Amino acid sequence: MNKKIWLSLARMTGHEQGFINEAFDTNWVVPLGPNVNGFEQDLELYLNENVHVVALSSGTAAIHLGLLQLGVGPGDEVICQSFTFVASANPIRYLGASPVFIDSEIETWNMSPDLLRIAIKDRIKLTGKKPKAIIPVHLYGMPARMDEIMAIANEYGIPVLEDAAEALGSEYKGRKCGTFGKFACLSFNGNKMITTSGGGALICRTEEEAETTLYYATQARDDTHYYQHSNIGYNYRMSNICAGIGRGQMIEVEQFVSRRRAIHDFYMKELSLIDGITVFDNPSSDFNSNHWLTCILIDSEVTGFTNKDLFLKMKEENIETRPLWKAMHMQPVFEDAPFYGDGTSSDLFRKGLCLPSGASLSDWDLRRVVGVIKDLARYNAPIRSSSKIEKEIGVS
Ligand SMILES: *Cc1c(COP(=O)(O)O)cnc(C)c1O
């Protein structure tokens, strides 16, 4: 059996162990300590805007605490991009609110500003009140159209929480994703841009919001010498050990981003000549994706094989690929939620596949992946040309 090629495996820089050992040696094996503050500072410096970062136990926890601070509660509606991973939407339900899903536009695969405007108007008309928050996502690292989304949000006075879980290092018009909204989340799960084994962060705009986040993340304890609580809190703080891994990872964050971009370039070069396959790319120079995962779309009428055929062929070759996210409006758990769409995300789901993109992949691994696609394309070429001929002469 060929060596397994994973979709998006974390790579260690070699510096992680040092920070962890330091935590042990100084007896900071607790959910607080110098690594947590150090990691937060590393992120603040990297994001290069005047933001305050609070390290948490997951990206999902970050979205939860962001929405909580936006006042989301029972009876509220929250607008959320439909084409995303379920963690973008689940915290809406944790708070007793209801999601309203918006389809994507075809160039960025992210929230369509046109549909967003239509949805806001319609929700106000139907419910008599404004949605409480808007959650755009920078999916697969591709920045959403933040100028248009922020303009609409500001026009209606609705705060934005950016889901930048997949977008550490991505830029829109030269500015890092995660620095546009009132809040933004990052994720450091095992297969994201950097990892802390598991973890996330809430990016806040003010020191005060960062302190409130910390308060809710540590069981909402009042400022008394005994344990008194006036609010419901959570146990969401990142541990000093996890943050040590994060500090080690941040030393090479630039290299991780450039490696993922180089992997994307390689796929672009190798696959663009195959009829019926499109590699998802930045729509213009305003967008600079980190290319967390390189995604392709397969037009099976042209290629003669579907995304599922390729997924299974890759599996046979011990290569992990992944279907694109199945949009939230298509999920059984959200079947009652309102949806404003035009078929974009369901079409992407039908045609797409994520290719191995981890920073630890070698050029040889990438050639193996491309080889499987080229072989399948070659094998299906006769089928393809005969069905084309049949169509041309009108045989059904
Ligand atoms: C991974 C991810 C999250 C959640 O992050 P966790 O750290 O796994 O909780 C949220 N949104 C998107 C789009 C993600 O990909």
Side-chain angles (χ1 to χ4, degrees), residues 328-342:
M328 293 306 109
H329 73 277
M330 301 163 77
Q331 298 287 351
V333 68
F334 292 125
E335 71 189 356
D336 296 333
F339 170 60
Y340 295 82
D342 58 12

Side-chain angles (χ1 to χ4, degrees), residues 211-263:
E211 272 164 23
T212 307
T213 305
L214 197 56
Y215 162 81
Y216 281 111
T218 52
Q219 308 287 19
R221 194 179 153 190
D222 290 347
D223 192 13
T224 44
H225 79 274
Y226 43 85
Y227 281 72
Q228 176 173 293
H229 306 271
S230 308
N231 284 295
I232 296 295
Y234 304 88
N235 182 8
Y236 278 172
R237 189 64 162 144
M238 179 178 282
S239 82
N240 198 45
I241 296 296
C242 290
I245 303 175
R247 286 181 86 180
Q249 292 269 291
M250 280 306 284
I251 290 175
E252 286 188 20
V253 63
E254 304 278 9
Q255 285 92 317
F256 289 168
V257 175
S258 56
R259 180 63 186 151
R260 298 236 184 199
R261 286 182 177 148
I263 288 171

Side-chain angles (χ1 to χ4, degrees), residues 57-63 84-89 137-140 163-166 185-189 191-192 198-200 292 325:
S57 54
S58 71
T60 313
I63 298 173
T84 186
F85 177 53
V86 72
S88 307
V137 186
H138 307 295
L139 208 65
Y140 302 115
D163 183 340
E166 303 176 357
C185 82
L186 293 172
S187 169
F188 316 118
N189 211 332
N191 59 14
K192 298 287 161 76
W292 171 58
W325 301 125

